[in-house]
Amino acid sequence: MPQAAYATARRRGNRVMMVLAAATAVEFWVGTTQPPHVLAYLAALAGLKAGLIVDYFMHLPQLFDRDRT
């Protein structure tokens, strides 16, 4: 992998990890300080995190990329 591509991938990975950490902090805050009827908000945050994990760490979009061999 060329140096520029590696640096770009690393920056994207760091960004994804920061978003996941922030979403986890928000989930914790909502789960501990808000009333119990906020399950929809927690489910939405969990869906966002799951989507990021599948997209970035599990490389799911690469399965459907027809240009790659």
Side-chain angles (χ1 to χ4, degrees), residues 23-46:
T24 300
V26 169
E27 270 183 325
F28 178 78
W29 176 76
V30 168
T32 56
T33 62
Q34 300 303 312
H37 62 276
V38 294
L39 184 61
Y41 297 115
L42 293 174
L45 280 171

Side-chain angles (χ1 to χ4, degrees), residues 5-22:
Y6 176 77
T8 301
R10 187 175 174 115
R11 271 193 304 274
R12 182 173 182 229
N14 287 340
R15 226 176 284 132
V16 168
M17 287 184 358
M18 296 292 252
V19 169
L20 287 171

